[in-house]
Amino acid sequence: MSENYEDPNLEEQPEEVNAGETITRVTGMFKDWFLDYASYVILERAVPAIEDGFKPVQRRIMHSMKDLDDGRYNKVANIVGHTMQYHPHGDASIADAMVQMGQKDLLIDTQGNWGNTLTGDRAAASRYIEARLSKFALEVLFSPKITDWQASYDGRRKEPINLPVKFPLLLAQGAEGIAVGLSTKVLPHNFIELIDGSIKHLQGKKFTLLPDFPSAGEADFSDYRDGKRGGRIRVRAKINQLDKNTLVITEIPFSTTTTSLIDSILKANDKGKIKVKKIEDNTSSEVEILVHLPPGLSPDKTIGALFAFTNCEVAISPLGCVIEDNKPLFVGVTQMLRISTERTKDLLRQELEIQLQELENQWHYASLERIFIENRIYRDIEEQETWEGVLQAIDEGLKPHIAHLKRPVIEEDLVRLTEIRIKRISKFDIDKAQQKIEALEGDIAQVKFHLANLNDFAIDYFKRLKKEYGAGKERKTVIRLFDDIEASKVIIRNTKLYVNRKEGFIGTSLKKDEYVTDCSDIDDVIVFTKDGNMMVTKVDSKTFVGKDIIHVAVYKKKDKRTIYNMIYKDGPGGATYVKRFNVTSTTRDKIYPMTKGKKGSQVLYFSANPNGEAELVTVYLRSIGNVKKLKFDLDFSDVLIKGRNANGNIVTKHSVRIIDLKEKGISTLRPRKIWFDDSVNRLNVDDRGELLGEFKGEDRLLIITQDGIAKTIVPELTTRFDDKIIILEKWIPEKPISAVYWDGNRERYYLKRFLIDNPEKEEKFVSEHPNTQLEIVSTDYRPVLEMGFYKDRNKDQKPNETVNVEEFISVKGITALGNQLYPEKLKQLNLLESLPYELPEPEIANPDDSEIDSSENFNDDEEHEGDFSQGSLF
């Protein structure tokens, strides 16, 4: 059938066989019917129109609600039934579409249980809930005089082709639909930002639109691509640490519910990727999910794992597809707003033109009425006996007085004059009639002015919408850049790694063999064998890596601080070499020789040092021939760190008997520079953001928050920081912290200076009273304050005072109250330039400290190799 389907002869007209009988090929029917069906689904069900932003069912719901609108609520079941006069499908699709629109809280005022978008709870049955059009919908959706109409599906009624929507409704509500071979996903945008964008477009300015989700959360729009096909955004839940064993989720990503979010957390827990003790869902009108952690688990690491392995972070791919002139159009949100704004401007023009026409008709008839009554033309018809004579008499009577009219008098005007009642003629007031005409002339002039300045009129229209309906519609989703979370760094160690060194097997199922470490099922393992080979492989139940394993550990990619110290013999009769190297990248399951590659090479000494430590070893030589010195020391700190492909330096050309560790070493790496990137609130070593300093292994970070909490932490790149932090810097233990706070209990200002005595403990240095407020914190050695005072009545203004903090108070404990600074509220409290302070002389750096050479392909030439046997070590 597939061969026949491509045959163009199959698309011929049906062939006549006998009189009254025809044969139609099935493939031709299938092709035509499928295209008809696909077109129907695309145009009539799944994809919204660019003109008004509605799908057909939504448009029919709005039209039906307008039919029924009397200012009171209607049962949704009643609205659904009324909509079925226009919609060719069942009541279920209408009710579902109406509930979705009602939950967006823009066009429909709802009453009753309309479900909960946060929890995913469904709405009550349509017979129990009620709805009516919102004031905003009545303002922007309807204008019958400029609406184009078409017959309904059964021809009994008229329905709008498109509603005259004077607002970028499609972008405000968003839209999602799947058709035959086509789909659309327009994300919702912020109400106020859309209006501002429309105004900027009318003003000829550039603008940018980014989605805003009703579920709030945080989003990274760096790859949004204007909502076009191929874009991608990342949305995250808002997660905070409630206490050391509890996390609280207060906002969820768009397209998720609390139920689906909790299910994803439980699934990740079952797979061992995270560890959760218990989850509580306290969500009602606002999200509150409590995630209880087992004791000793890092909250920061767990937050990263939640983003990496659960629906706490989701990726959404927008797809801007709309219907324009009955054809699909792929377009970005910026162009959508431009099209909508220009359409709104055109609709306003049409409304003004109709209003102008109506005002001119009113002015025309009011002028005729005044002429008719003021000049007593009605008396001319008293003698007429026929209808034609009456109209002719009026026409003749008007002719001397109508030169100033703006259009000719027609028969309809004459008929209207005959319908004026005697009572109206008798009570006619010429002055009031003239005032009415002048008022109409003023209105006409105003409408003409608006038409002449249509752009400004449209801008004023959008400004009025923003003023009347923009309250409470501020942006909910926080825009920020996300850091890339490496799953291997945040996953919980959910299994154990074992090794059989002699046979050369590693894996998680070798429970009878030697235990190595806890690991996760996505980790990589680095292995070194006695013959000098290295391999990196993925964690598995059992893997052969090579006999005589001398080192096995979890591998960290791009790790420049783990340094391997190695002494090896180059072949059976070759020299002995020493090398120090790191392994920053490899190809998985590939064997790399760490020696010069000669068959029979053997590793004599090996150590792995997580912080670049360089130990001292003793080398013992065999007593062969004329070797005079059989023992010497080798200090690895004298060996430069190079790439893993380097050959190393010659230790000796004599035979080595044994090598013993003499003394453990210290790190030979320079302190690590750490930066803080406030765009993602994370630490990094990539020169992004503010440099916090150079950190050695024992150095810590000082953190002070707005609520008066001070703590120090080891700087780990996986640490998360919230927005309450006001001080983040390298901690210098002997450097005092100065703080001014308003004590809510005593209602006065206090000044204190303190040191952190327990770096492992988080402590609050202000009182617990709810009205207590931290005013100023300084980590300078000798800070200076300036106090500004309020003016007392009937007294001169008190001049500002400065306070030398060092002289005002000595350094006390962190829990001390401090000294009273001022007993009343201050107008201002500022930090001035600190007094000079001479730092103690720094320690002299080790001249042999070396940075890591991360070159992967560097090989020592023989002329660059040093021979330790010719040096001072012998």
Side-chain angles (χ1 to χ4, degrees):
M1 181 175 178
S2 61
E3 294 177 359
N4 294 335
Y5 185 81
E6 296 180 0
D7 189 344
N9 295 328
L10 295 180
E11 299 183 7
E12 296 176 353
Q13 296 297 320
E15 302 173 0
E16 188 170 336
V17 180
N18 297 318
E21 295 183 5
T22 59
I23 295 178
T24 303
R25 297 184 183 276
V26 174
T27 52
M29 293 169 59
F30 173 79
K31 185 174 183 180
D32 292 341
W33 291 356
F34 182 81
L35 288 175
D36 290 343
Y37 171 71
S39 299
Y40 170 75
V41 174
I42 292 170
L43 299 176
E44 294 295 326
R45 294 177 65 177
V47 184
I50 186 66
E51 288 83 4
D52 59 5
F54 284 125
K55 298 179 183 180
V57 64
Q58 297 172 329
R59 187 181 302 113
R60 289 161 182 156
I61 291 170
M62 292 291 100
H63 177 58
S64 296
M65 293 186 72
K66 179 61 175 175
D67 282 348
L68 297 171
D69 183 55
D70 60 0
R72 296 182 295 176
Y73 288 99
N74 286 288
K75 289 282 187 181
V76 168
N78 186 27
I79 298 172
V80 171
H82 192 276
T83 306
M84 289 182 70
Q85 298 176 92
Y86 305 101
H87 196 61
H89 298 286
D91 59 330
S93 62
I94 300 172
D96 289 344
M98 188 170 178
V99 167
Q100 290 177 17
M101 295 176 71
Q103 289 174 340
K104 292 174 181 176
D105 194 27
L106 186 63
L107 302 179
I108 300 177
D109 282 343
T110 60
Q111 186 166 274
N113 177 16
W114 281 68
N116 190 329
T117 57
L118 299 176
T119 61
D121 294 336
R122 292 179 59 84
S126 57
R127 61 185 179 274
Y128 298 124
I129 56 179
E130 297 178 323
R132 66 183 177 189
L133 289 170
S134 67
K135 292 182 179 179
F136 176 74
L138 293 169
E139 170 90 25
V140 303
L141 294 191
F142 306 103
S143 186
K145 295 176 182 178
I146 61 172
T147 301
D148 294 327
W149 303 88
Q150 65 183 359
S152 61
Y153 73 97
D154 60 1
R156 287 187 172 92
R157 288 183 171 269
K158 297 288 185 182
E159 64 172 326
I161 299 174
N162 289 300
L163 288 173
V165 177
K166 302 185 290 294
F167 179 78
L169 191 64
L170 174 59
L171 293 174
Q173 293 193 125
E176 186 172 357
I178 300 175
V180 182
L182 191 71
S183 65
T184 183
K185 194 179 187 71
V186 180
L187 301 179
H189 292 69
N190 182 262
F191 182 92
I192 296 174
E193 292 175 6
L194 288 174
I195 292 179
D196 291 341
S198 293
I199 293 173
K200 287 182 179 178
H201 168 68
L202 293 170
Q203 293 172 340
K205 299 178 181 178
K206 292 183 179 180
F207 60 91
T208 302
L209 292 180
L210 296 175
D212 184 28
F213 304 120
S215 56
E218 301 174 343
D220 184 344
F221 299 111
S222 57
D223 196 27
Y224 183 47
R225 300 188 187 181
D226 200 39
K228 295 180 182 177
R229 183 167 40 184
R232 181 177 177 268
I233 65 172
R234 297 158 63 193
V235 190
R236 284 182 178 175
K238 186 175 182 181
I239 309 177
N240 291 312
Q241 183 178 344
L242 195 63
D243 54 50
K244 63 180 181 179
N245 290 325
T246 309
L247 303 176
V248 57
I249 302 174
T250 54
E251 295 173 4
I252 61 176
F254 179 69
S255 75
T256 67
T257 64
T258 55
T259 302
S260 66
L261 190 68
I262 291 172
D263 287 345
S264 71
I265 296 174
L266 294 176
K267 188 179 294 184
N269 180 71
D270 293 340
K271 291 182 177 180
K273 297 182 183 299
I274 61 174
K275 285 185 180 180
V276 173
K277 183 179 179 182
K278 184 176 65 172
I279 299 178
E280 293 181 51
D281 187 3
N282 301 327
T283 302
S284 55
S285 59
E286 296 181 354
V287 174
E288 184 181 296
I289 301 173
L290 299 180
V291 182
H292 299 276
L293 307 179
L297 199 64
S298 166
D300 287 335
K301 195 171 182 180
T302 303
I303 291 175
L306 287 172
F307 290 144
F309 303 115
T310 75
N311 285 347
C312 288
E313 179 180 321
V314 296
I316 302 174
S317 298
L319 177 57
C321 178
V322 293
I323 298 299
E324 183 182 48
D325 296 331
N326 289 325
K327 292 181 292 186
L329 172 67
F330 292 92
V331 64
V333 295
T334 303
Q335 185 61 19
M336 284 186 200
L337 185 66
R338 292 194 183 103
I339 293 172
S340 173
T341 304
E342 290 299 324
R343 175 172 166 79
T344 299
K345 183 178 171 182
D346 184 63
L347 292 172
L348 292 173
R349 177 190 59 78
Q350 294 181 46
E351 289 183 343
L352 287 173
E353 288 175 347
I354 291 174
Q355 184 182 0
L356 177 61
Q357 184 180 357
E358 291 174 345
L359 287 172
E360 287 180 340
N361 285 337
Q362 292 177 33
W363 179 88
H364 179 78
Y365 182 70
S367 300
L368 282 179
E369 184 183 71
R370 179 172 178 243
I371 295 169
F372 181 74
I373 298 174
E374 185 179 358
N375 294 284
R376 302 178 187 274
I377 296 174
Y378 54 85
R379 290 184 177 180
D380 296 344
I381 66 175
E382 294 175 354
E383 304 297 329
Q384 301 298 323
E385 296 179 356
T386 64
W387 177 248
E388 290 77 9
V390 170
L391 295 180
Q392 185 176 359
I394 297 174
D395 189 31
E396 293 295 331
L398 291 174
K399 282 182 179 179
H401 310 287
I402 61 174
H404 68 289
L405 296 182
K406 299 178 181 178
R407 67 172 175 83
V409 178
I410 59 177
E411 184 176 344
E412 184 182 347
D413 299 330
L414 302 178
V415 173
R416 288 188 63 178
L417 291 174
T418 64
E419 295 172 353
I420 299 175
R421 296 184 178 184
I422 298 297
K423 183 178 181 180
R424 180 172 175 80
I425 294 174
S426 64
K427 291 188 175 182
F428 187 76
D429 187 325
I430 295 177
D431 292 336
K432 287 185 177 179
Q434 184 60 33
Q435 290 175 5
K436 179 182 177 181
I437 291 172
E438 291 175 355
L440 288 171
E441 289 174 347
D443 292 341
I444 290 171
Q446 184 68 43
V447 173
K448 286 183 176 179
F449 176 80
H450 289 328
L451 282 169
N453 300 275
L454 188 58
N455 215 58
D456 293 337
F457 179 75
I459 291 173
D460 292 338
Y461 169 80
F462 280 113
K463 288 181 178 179
R464 182 174 62 80
L465 287 183
K466 180 178 177 180
K467 181 178 180 182
E468 293 185 11
Y469 304 105
K473 291 183 171 61
E474 292 77 14
R475 168 169 281 277
K476 295 182 179 181
T477 303
V478 177
I479 302 171
R480 64 187 314 167
L481 294 174
F482 290 165
D483 54 311
D484 293 325
I485 297 175
E486 292 185 32
S488 60
K489 291 185 177 180
V490 296
I491 192 170
I492 300 299
R493 304 303 182 202
N494 55 5
T495 187
K496 297 181 185 298
L497 181 67
Y498 302 89
V499 60
N500 184 324
R501 296 182 182 271
K502 184 176 180 181
E503 299 297 327
F505 288 96
I506 62 170
T508 57
S509 63
L510 308 176
K511 297 182 179 180
K512 294 182 180 180
D513 293 308
E514 178 187 343
Y515 165 76
V516 178
T517 183
D518 288 349
C519 64
S520 71
D521 50 14
I522 67 170
D523 278 337
D524 287 327
V525 180
I526 188 168
V527 180
F528 292 86
T529 56
K530 192 174 182 66
D531 58 4
N533 290 330
M534 178 204 77
M535 185 172 72
V536 172
T537 187
K538 191 172 180 62
V539 168
D540 206 341
S541 58
K542 186 177 181 180
T543 304
F544 179 76
V545 293
K547 292 186 177 182
D548 296 324
I549 297 172
I550 58 174
H551 176 74
V552 57
V554 173
Y555 175 62
K556 299 177 182 178
K557 192 175 182 181
K558 299 180 181 179
D559 181 12
K560 296 182 179 180
R561 296 191 71 83
T562 298
I563 305 301
Y564 302 98
N565 298 338
M566 188 173 85
I567 301 175
Y568 70 92
K569 184 178 182 182
D570 182 32
T576 300
Y577 289 81
V578 61
K579 63 186 289 187
R580 300 185 74 202
F581 60 95
N582 55 20
V583 181
T584 57
S585 64
T586 63
T587 300
R588 188 180 290 163
D589 296 327
K590 179 181 177 181
I591 297 176
Y592 293 88
M594 295 295 103
T595 64
K596 296 178 72 172
K598 187 179 295 185
K599 188 175 181 179
S601 296
Q602 185 179 12
V603 177
L604 304 178
Y605 179 87
F606 185 90
S607 67
N609 306 281
N611 202 34
E613 291 83 359
E615 61 269 30
L616 181 67
V617 297
T618 301
V619 179
Y620 296 89
L621 304 180
R622 296 185 184 275
S623 179
I624 300 176
N626 58 352
V627 179
K628 296 181 180 179
K629 194 169 185 179
L630 299 178
K631 169 185 172 184
F632 62 88
D633 291 339
L634 188 155
D635 192 345
F636 276 98
S637 63
D638 295 330
V639 182
L640 295 179
I641 301 170
K642 297 184 179 180
R644 56 177 165 78
N645 289 333
N647 291 331
N649 299 331
I650 294 178
V651 176
T652 179
K653 295 181 179 178
H654 302 293
S655 179
V656 175
R657 181 169 62 87
I658 193 173
I659 300 175
D660 284 339
L661 175 65
K662 183 176 183 180
E663 184 180 314
K664 291 184 178 181
I666 59 173
S667 174
T668 58
L669 303 180
R670 291 179 181 175
R672 183 170 58 165
K673 290 184 178 181
I674 296 180
W675 286 263
F676 177 70
D677 186 351
D678 58 5
S679 63
V680 296
N681 283 356
R682 298 295 285 269
L683 303 176
N684 69 88
V685 293
D686 304 322
D687 197 11
R688 289 185 286 107
E690 177 187 357
L691 178 63
L692 298 179
E694 297 183 350
F695 290 77
K696 296 181 180 178
E698 67 277 6
D699 289 336
R700 302 175 73 90
L701 271 175
L702 170 65
I703 299 175
I704 299 177
T705 64
Q706 184 60 57
D707 45 9
I709 292 176
K711 62 180 178 180
T712 68
I713 64 169
V714 176
E716 296 180 357
L717 302 186
T718 56
T719 304
R720 301 187 60 84
F721 301 90
D722 58 34
D723 296 328
K724 294 182 179 179
I725 293 177
I726 55 177
I727 297 289
L728 179 65
E729 61 181 41
K730 184 177 179 180
W731 179 50
I732 302 176
E734 62 275 8
K735 191 177 180 182
I737 300 169
S738 305
V740 178
Y741 66 98
W742 171 264
D743 188 279
N745 185 32
R746 297 171 176 81
E747 295 189 341
R748 58 195 63 198
Y749 291 99
Y750 284 87
L751 172 59
K752 62 187 298 183
R753 298 180 79 210
F754 59 91
L755 297 174
I756 294 179
D757 300 323
N758 188 352
E760 302 292 339
K761 185 179 179 182
E762 179 181 292
E763 295 186 84
K764 191 162 187 174
F765 57 87
V766 298
S767 67
E768 296 284 352
H769 194 278
N771 292 334
T772 295
Q773 185 171 351
L774 181 63
E775 298 289 343
I776 283 179
V777 176
S778 173
T779 55
D780 290 343
Y781 284 96
R782 304 179 65 194
V784 178
L785 295 174
E786 180 186 38
M787 296 188 296
F789 307 95
Y790 287 101
K791 185 179 183 300
D792 293 331
R793 185 177 295 177
N794 301 325
K795 291 184 179 180
D796 295 336
Q797 174 66 54
K798 187 176 181 181
N800 291 0
E801 291 184 6
T802 58
V803 177
N804 184 334
V805 175
E806 185 183 33
E807 294 178 351
F808 187 85
I809 185 172
S810 59
V811 176
K812 300 181 180 180
I814 192 172
T815 58
L817 177 66
N819 292 353
Q820 177 181 303
L821 180 66
Y822 196 69
E824 299 175 13
K825 280 286 186 180
L826 293 169
K827 185 177 182 180
Q828 60 182 5
L829 186 60
N830 304 317
L831 272 174
L832 301 180
E833 185 177 352
S834 299
L835 297 174
Y837 178 81
E838 292 186 5
L839 293 171
E841 290 292 329
E843 297 180 4
I844 299 175
N846 186 348
D848 292 331
D849 282 359
S850 60
E851 281 285 4
I852 301 173
D853 181 358
S854 60
S855 171
E856 293 293 331
N857 299 309
F858 179 79
N859 286 287
D860 282 352
D861 295 327
E862 290 294 332
E863 61 183 351
H864 293 138
E865 292 176 350
D867 189 342
F868 279 87
S869 63
Q870 304 301 317
S872 59
L873 293 175
F874 286 80

